[in-house]
Amino acid sequence: MTPALAQSIPFFPYPQAFLREEEDLTEIFRDVGRRGAFVMQEDLRRFEENLARFLGARRAIGVANATDGLSIALRAAGVEARSEVIFSSHTMVATAAAIHFAGAIPVAVECGADHLMDAAAAEAAITSRTSAILPTQLNGRTADMEALGRLASRHGLVVVEDAAQALGSRFKDQFAGTFGAAAAVSFFPAKVLGCLGDGGAVIANDERVGERAIALHDHGRDAQGNVTGWGLNSRLDNLQAAILDYRLRKFDAVIERRRRLARVYHAALEGVAEVVRPPAPDADAAHFDVYQNYEMEAERRDALREFLSARGIGTLLPWGGRAVHQWEALGLQARLPATEKLFKRVLLLPMHAWLSEEDVETVAGAVREFYRGRT
Ligand SMILES: *Cc1c(COP(=O)(O)O)cnc(C)c1O
């Protein structure tokens, strides 16, 4: 890439995930390396305990990534093979893949105005074969879990949350990941709490579900090392856990920073008629959002994206530009007009804790300029 083409405000500057904490991280490598503490060691146990305490959950179990975590969560929660699991199609393909690899059938439904699972659409998709609903706590926002919880108990369904994007997010003062039988969070580098590679955790409030998840993620073995059934090898590396434990201590400040930047975006995009902004922080008392993404709706989205790119501003189309059911190779065969319409309009602006407020003003200013130029 020539310097002239380098983005001045990249969508996510991956090297910063290391450079910002280079000395402390190097010290962690050295410490873990010298102890030879690579797999299922004390650092992992400590992180799991601290994460469970942070969430007010009974158990947090480090896994290799959130996709594995969701599959393990579904199986640990007792979702049966060949039953149907309802998910919102506005999510990563990983959500549906996790259902598939748990042996169940993914059923895609529409999202609502806040881009999260629509409870009425979920209810309409329930059949005699439905076993669970799997809401994605998208963009760092937790769905209305009262409505979804009522729906699930009315129909005797299990709730498993995809909280990959929502660590620290709350609905009515309860953390994402603690509403259902089980959940998964992701520590992919660009997530709100990221490590330096792949990582995830299963969250469980029920002791039996937690024990099944522990066995499923470690060759079917229980705490005594006895094989209690078939299991995977899907463990969170001890080195990553040590890094995550270090970062968890600073996590509240990261969330505050993201919420601050969301406030700056919200104010700076006020009155731009062609744009629909995500809910502002504290827009309503029920939601505490952590802004994994700043996902807006925009008229003439693709032209806006090119305009921003020419100014060195990186943006992203969610999930490569398509909802899960729109990837024909998966054969989901749903028709979801509202989601399909939304996917012509959604755009992610840069959002991470290392952005400056001036960067956010620059991005929002360029958006305003694009629409002012339109006659
Ligand atoms: C990132 C993400 C996943 C997958 O997480 P991995 O840890 O990369 O497996 C699943 N669902 C959603 C909504 C995500 O954003």
Side-chain angles (χ1 to χ4, degrees), residues 65-67 91-92 94-95 136 162 164-165 186 188 191 198-199 319:
N65 56 72
T67 311
T91 187
M92 189 177 178
T95 317
T136 294
D162 180 343
Q165 299 200 345
S186 174
F188 183 83
K191 301 284 158 105
D198 279 310
W319 321 124

Side-chain angles (χ1 to χ4, degrees), residues 77 145 158-161 174-175 177-183 203-206:
M145 294 308 292
V158 167
V159 176
V160 171
E161 292 167 76
Q174 187 175 340
F175 281 104
T178 66
F179 289 92
I203 312 301
N205 261 327
D206 180 284

Side-chain angles (χ1 to χ4, degrees), residues 211-276:
E211 270 167 24
R212 280 199 291 265
I214 287 171
L216 281 166
H217 95 300
D218 180 38
H219 303 294
R221 294 184 292 208
D222 66 14
Q224 286 71 45
N226 296 313
V227 174
T228 60
W230 298 110
L232 306 167
N233 176 0
S234 181
R235 302 175 302 218
L236 178 64
D237 285 345
N238 191 67
L239 174 60
Q240 301 291 2
I243 292 165
L244 287 162
D245 200 43
Y246 159 80
R247 289 186 167 169
L248 186 60
R249 279 177 247 140
K250 311 195 231 174
F251 188 52
D252 285 335
V254 170
I255 294 175
E256 266 325 299
R257 179 77 197 145
R258 286 178 173 272
R259 287 168 56 79
R260 168 81 202 135
L261 296 172
R263 249 177 230 117
V264 176
Y265 266 131
H266 196 81
L269 292 170
E270 174 92 50
V272 182
E274 294 88 346
V275 157
V276 179

